[in-house]
Amino acid sequence: MDKLGVVITALAAYALLISPFATFRANRIVPGDPVGLLNAVATPVNGLVLALLIAIALLALVKTSVIARLVASVVAIVALCLAIGLAAQHLTPEGNSYARVAPASGFWLLLFAFALMATDALTRLQPPPGVRILALLVTALGIAALLKSGSWDGLSILKEYSTRAASFWREVGTHVTLALGSLAAATVIGLPLGLLCHRIRPLRAAVLNSLNIIQTIPSIALFGLLIAPLGWIATHVPGASAVGIAGIGAAPAFVALFLYSLLPVVANTVTGLAGVPQAAVDAARGVGMTLWQRLTKIELPLAFPVILTGIRIVLVQNIGLATIAALIGGGGLGVFVFQGVGQTAMDLVLLGAVPTVAMAFAAAVLLDAIIDKVRMQA
Amino acid sequence: MIEIDTLCKSYDGVEVVRDVTLTIQPRTITVIVGTSGSGKTTLLRMINRLVEPTSGTIKLDGEDNRSLPGYELRRRIGYAIQGHGLFPHRTVGQNIATVPSLLGWSKARITARVNELLTLFQLDPAAFAPRFPHELSGGQQQRVGVARALAAEPNVLLMDEPFGALDPIIRAKAQDDLKAIQKHFGTTILLVTHDMEEAIRLADMIAVMDKGCVVQFAPPSEILTKPATDFVATLIGTSDRPFRLMSLAKVGDAVEPGSANGLAIAASMNQRDALAELLWSGRQALPVTAADGRVLGRITLEGLTARAGHSSGHPA
């Protein structure tokens, strides 16, 4: 008996027997009616899907080969994804553009259970970094193919998307620019700052403590605090408002994300450099390397994996945090989240939240793989 | 030749090296011995200017060591430290090639030099050059550390406790190898250690340091027979003194005419080894053979004991 398998099977059993698979609503803001898997999908496909999911959930219970578990869980996830698309088509009355079909708790629980099974199998296989990136790519392509094929078009989240396609991609662009731009700025400033902190010991405590304090300021408070100084700059510095600096909007969001990013970058640079073996640094000096050569050939390459870990933290953190930017008119996927909350339209909230989570997840997998690759070489 | 003249170094008014004047002859091994805090490492690091002296001068082959920028000076002087200090992210080949690369040697010349040094240190170039330091044993890492220090054919090699991290058996082998390498290249070696045994084994000249001063600068036999201060005497360890002295002399120098039975000893071994063998096998005499196996005579327990005392006119 597989210990994790017990959890997976229990989750799947609860989801299949008790939880609704999908929710049907007459329009996008009324409360929905729960629909079970058997009623959500047309016969005989419903029976096939149910049998398949039960079989795989039972397979999770027994000890089998890791490859078999991986394949089975991937099959289950694909089946779930197809079934929810079919449910949307089946449940939506012909020609009704107001009705909304969304995944319900049963679907999410099943997805979670089989994703757990897949992750567990992947972890046990310990795939090399290249394979992990390949797996991420295949997953992304699979989701893209599903979206492209139109099998999910009946789902509420995609109906929200279809009415906002243009603004969706614009906000994705803003979101990515905010997250990556602030990361780039934090790296450009944070790396030399970390280096200075490493070289000049008294500076270290002062800088790290200041950055720690910034990290504890709630994001909304930070936005508020930034309105006055940025507003002042916009009105008093010539050309500042022309490049987009203002008390509210993207500028304070960018500055706030940048400030939050500094601590992980600086702290990891300091930790990384401190971890370089003292004997190697002494030898580098002893063989006649200049200050610059020591830095570029010995210290930075040896500290690089740790610095990269800081960048990974920042990237994942920023993709999530950038959602808040919408609160002060900074744009990004948070726009849909806040609109959705305002209209009590959960589908719209999901349109903002799901891509954010997906991007953060992809960034984490990608950077973890790169870090492992770099560590292997170091 | 290294001429150190009235060299001083103080940190915040505390003198770590006081008024040191030494002349180190070319193509010799000089060992600086002292307890920790005696200033021996500081003295060594002032030669390649990892530490700048407070006052005094150092001349290398007549040239003041401040006539070049520090990093250029250090590229001309070999430097090996305890725990080898190999760069963990670079292969053995790249580590050894460090200084030649800094000096801008051609690729072919660097490869040839790396292979030459690896072969000399009994490491197969094809097998070891592409490996990373963590894939090597402690003894191999130490050899690579010395090979890196010698890569750019320096006239002078500075070594700071280079064998400190090795176990006794590997250490003895590393010391023998160092002597052989020194003969091969004719390098002037200046080595710092706290281990008097190591100093006696390696040195042509020993400088004993105490509280920042060189208290005695003399050949090993003189250090053993005429310690200049109580401190030097303590370092030697009086109970071990006769044996250490014997370890400096060869069996060949104590051969007497006559014959003996049993296993022979080579003339190139030291007298301490001969004494140990005599005591262990319970014999009064051992046959002595030359390198070609020819019997030269014998060495006796009586003869050795007579030589053991410091008043016996031991060759200095």
Side-chain angles (χ1 to χ4, degrees), chain A residues 277-290 293-294 297-299 301-302 377-378, chain B residues 45 48-50 71 74-75 77 79 81-83 85-90 98-99 102 132 148:
Chain A
Q278 194 48 50
V281 179
D282 188 41
R285 245 190 108 206
V287 297
M289 287 194 183
T290 61
Q293 286 168 336
R294 242 152 60 212
K297 293 178 183 220
I298 307 298
E299 293 181 296
L302 285 175
Q377 283 163 353
Chain B
R45 287 165 74 94
N48 66 359
R49 286 176 57 203
L50 284 172
Y71 62 89
R74 289 190 278 274
R75 288 173 194 176
I77 299 177
Y79 183 61
I81 53 175
Q82 177 169 15
L86 293 178
F87 305 135
H89 61 306
R90 294 185 166 195
T98 306
V99 185
L102 290 173
F132 283 94
R148 180 177 68 184

Side-chain angles (χ1 to χ4, degrees), chain A residues 29-119:
Chain A
I29 54 172
V30 293
D33 300 318
V35 188
L37 176 61
L38 284 176
N39 295 325
V41 182
T43 5
V45 184
N46 55 3
L48 286 176
V49 173
L50 186 65
L52 181 72
L53 292 180
I54 289 172
I56 293 172
L58 288 175
L59 179 83
L61 207 54
V62 290
K63 278 202 192 301
T64 40
S65 83
V66 180
I67 295 280
R69 294 175 79 86
L70 182 64
V71 171
S73 55
V74 169
V75 167
I77 290 168
V78 171
L80 270 175
C81 289
L82 291 172
I84 196 70
L86 290 175
Q89 285 164 16
H90 180 67
L91 291 174
T92 309
E94 198 70 41
N96 183 338
S97 59
Y98 297 109
R100 291 287 190 268
V101 178
S105 57
F107 170 83
W108 295 118
L109 274 177
L110 285 168
L111 187 65
F112 174 72
F114 292 120
L116 197 63
M117 189 170 160
T119 323

Side-chain angles (χ1 to χ4, degrees), chain B residues 146-299:
Chain B
V146 179
R148 180 177 68 184
L150 290 169
E153 299 164 2
N155 286 329
V156 174
L157 172 60
L158 307 178
M159 308 181 91
D160 190 356
E161 301 263 6
F163 309 119
L166 302 182
D167 65 61
I169 292 170
I170 297 175
R171 183 189 303 205
K173 166 96 171 77
Q175 288 164 343
D176 290 343
D177 287 349
L178 183 69
K179 286 191 98 157
I181 296 280
Q182 191 264 343
K183 285 215 173 68
H184 182 91
F185 288 121
T187 317
T188 309
I189 296 180
L190 196 58
L191 184 147
V192 157
T193 181
H194 62 270
D195 180 2
M196 186 53 101
E197 182 96 37
E198 180 166 281
I200 291 166
R201 206 182 159 99
L202 289 173
D204 294 307
M205 291 290 276
I206 294 178
V208 182
M209 283 191 77
D210 183 25
K211 300 189 189 81
C213 301
V214 171
V215 291
Q216 189 169 13
F217 182 51
S221 55
E222 193 181 324
I223 297 269
L224 285 168
T225 50
K226 300 183 191 106
T229 65
D230 290 347
F231 176 75
V232 180
T234 320
L235 271 189
I236 301 162
T238 41
S239 62
D240 286 345
R241 198 158 53 177
F243 306 110
R244 288 191 167 158
L245 201 54
M246 288 176 91
S247 74
L248 288 171
K250 298 288 174 227
V251 167
D253 298 331
V255 177
E256 299 167 20
S259 63
N261 296 324
L263 209 62
I265 190 162
S268 58
M269 301 286 276
N270 70 52
Q271 292 181 6
R272 180 161 142 176
D273 297 331
L275 179 66
E277 181 55 32
L278 281 165
L279 293 173
W280 193 247
S281 61
R283 287 180 282 173
Q284 290 297 317
L286 302 175
V288 176
T289 52
D292 54 13
R294 192 164 42 88
V295 178
L296 295 171
R298 61 175 190 167
I299 190 163

